[in-house]
Amino acid sequence: MQITNDVVSPPSADQSIGPAPPDPHRFSTPPHYVATATEAVNNYRENPAAIWYKDNTDPNDPVGRYAYQRLRQTCFIPHVVPKFKLCEEDKFYAIGSCFARGIENSLAGHKIAVESAAPEFAKLQPANREGSGLGFTNKYNTYSILNELRWALDPDVEFPRDSIVPLTKTTWYDPHTNPTLEFADLEETLERRALMQAVTKRIRNCRAVVLTLGLAEVWRDVKANVFVNRTPIPSLFKTDPDRYEFQLSSFGENWANLEAIHALLSQYGHPDVHIIVTVSPVPLMNTFSTMDIVVANTWAKSLLRAVAQEWAAAHSNVDYFPSYEIVQNSDRAAAWDPDLRHVRGPGVQHIMDLFLGKYLE
């Protein structure tokens, strides 16, 4: 069978008879945490990072415990209490946006096995000679992460070959990858696709899976009925302008995708799989909505940050790690390259030092 998206936007209401009444139960979910008054007070007393500000304290105290003091430090260090511990002997798999590649590099630097950073990808020659073939594997939205895992793990789901499209008489484009490589003929394009799925299967041997959520703006291939990884190649809007549809994905859609990912990894993954979900701090490059790019980025990151928290709260083997908050609350000049989009190497290293210190036994 060919894959179709199980999670799609509901059809629009028939405007000729007026808009449909709001569904009062649409977002009617129970709170993910409830505590008695005694428990809540104990949380407050035992949490060393529970207070933002206190009168008559020095805002520039370098070891101050209050948020307004900690936020003055060059690199923000959040209070993190991990749900579980991992071992250096565990195999890791990182999947998600470009920030996942930084995670891979740091893990590999600590001699930790990272199955997603396959040497087969590193051998691929990127079009930009300064880049890495690993960028080919970036997955930018929850649909594309879910799709890739389904195609690799679920024996009843096949890759929709009709979603691969011709660019010229001799070159083809797989919209489920990141176009960092030179475009190739159909045979090589399919070989790259087979390699992607072969490497993705290795997630079955990984006790530790790191998901990095990046985008909430998504594109759907209407003809193949499948969401793609990123904005299609611009030339396709000219040659086949009605093929792709732009959507602002919802909380519910991203939640359903993450739940499907959890089900897949529970069924086909490591028997003791542990998942760490994070949100990439890298902002949108552009927006296809009517919003200001800064507003669109805030909306997208807020949505993904909220759904990541809910997902982690729903499962004992899923935890949220605040890489997004670390970058956003660190000194801007120290955290970002001049484009205010890419995180500096020392910033990524700071994040990974905290990550490894908290999660590795």
Side-chain angles (χ1 to χ4, degrees), residues 86-256:
L86 302 166
C87 304
E88 290 188 4
E89 295 75 22
D90 289 330
K91 291 182 178 180
F92 279 70
Y93 198 101
I95 185 169
S97 69
C98 54
F99 196 70
R101 309 287 77 82
I103 292 173
E104 287 172 340
N105 290 336
S106 294
L107 290 170
H110 286 79
K111 309 302 181 184
I112 295 171
V114 187
E115 293 292 286
S116 50
E120 296 95 324
F121 289 139
K123 292 177 182 178
L124 295 175
Q125 197 61 246
N128 178 358
R129 303 305 176 187
E130 297 180 359
S132 166
L134 283 169
F136 171 71
T137 69
N138 291 351
K139 299 294 163 199
Y140 293 105
N141 60 71
T142 60
Y143 285 106
S144 57
I145 296 173
L146 173 58
N147 284 341
E148 208 62 60
L149 293 175
R150 278 177 169 162
W151 296 328
L153 300 178
D154 190 337
D156 295 325
V157 175
E158 296 181 3
F159 175 78
R161 183 165 167 168
D162 59 344
S163 64
I164 293 182
V165 293
L167 295 178
T168 67
K169 292 181 179 179
T170 57
T171 57
W172 293 70
Y173 168 54
D174 178 355
H176 309 289
T177 62
N178 188 34
T180 60
L181 308 179
E182 296 281 2
F183 294 119
D185 59 24
L186 181 59
E187 181 180 4
E188 184 173 346
T189 301
L190 291 175
E191 287 176 357
R192 293 172 180 175
R193 163 53 41 196
L195 173 60
M196 176 81 77
Q197 292 176 216
V199 172
T200 305
K201 288 180 187 293
R202 298 175 191 172
I203 201 171
R204 295 178 297 192
N205 304 318
C206 297
R207 182 170 179 259
V209 175
V210 181
L211 259 66
T212 303
L213 310 183
L215 300 182
E217 294 191 6
V218 296
W219 290 85
R220 186 172 73 94
D221 181 339
V222 176
K223 180 179 178 180
N225 190 28
V226 60
F227 283 86
V228 298
N229 185 40
R230 62 186 299 281
T231 307
I233 298 298
S235 62
L236 294 176
F237 294 138
K238 297 178 181 178
T239 59
D240 199 353
D242 298 324
R243 176 157 189 160
Y244 298 99
E245 173 185 83
F246 172 74
Q247 294 186 19
L248 297 178
S249 62
S250 70
F251 182 100
E253 288 168 328
N254 285 282
W255 164 261

Side-chain angles (χ1 to χ4, degrees), residues 315-329:
H315 301 283
S316 61
N317 67 335
V318 180
D319 202 11
Y320 175 77
F321 180 73
S323 58
Y324 175 77
E325 288 84 348
I326 293 172
V327 175
Q328 291 297 322
N329 292 291

Side-chain angles (χ1 to χ4, degrees), residues 243-295:
R243 176 157 189 160
Y244 298 99
E245 173 185 83
F246 172 74
Q247 294 186 19
L248 297 178
S249 62
S250 70
F251 182 100
E253 288 168 328
N254 285 282
W255 164 261
N257 290 342
L258 291 176
E259 283 290 88
I261 289 169
H262 189 273
L264 270 175
L265 293 177
S266 298
Q267 182 175 359
Y268 299 107
H270 190 284
D272 189 32
V273 65
H274 287 70
I275 305 168
I276 297 170
V277 61
T278 189
V279 174
S280 170
V282 178
L284 305 179
M285 183 63 176
N286 44 47
T287 180
F288 290 86
S289 73
T290 59
M291 292 180 279
D292 182 298
I293 181 64
V294 176
V295 176

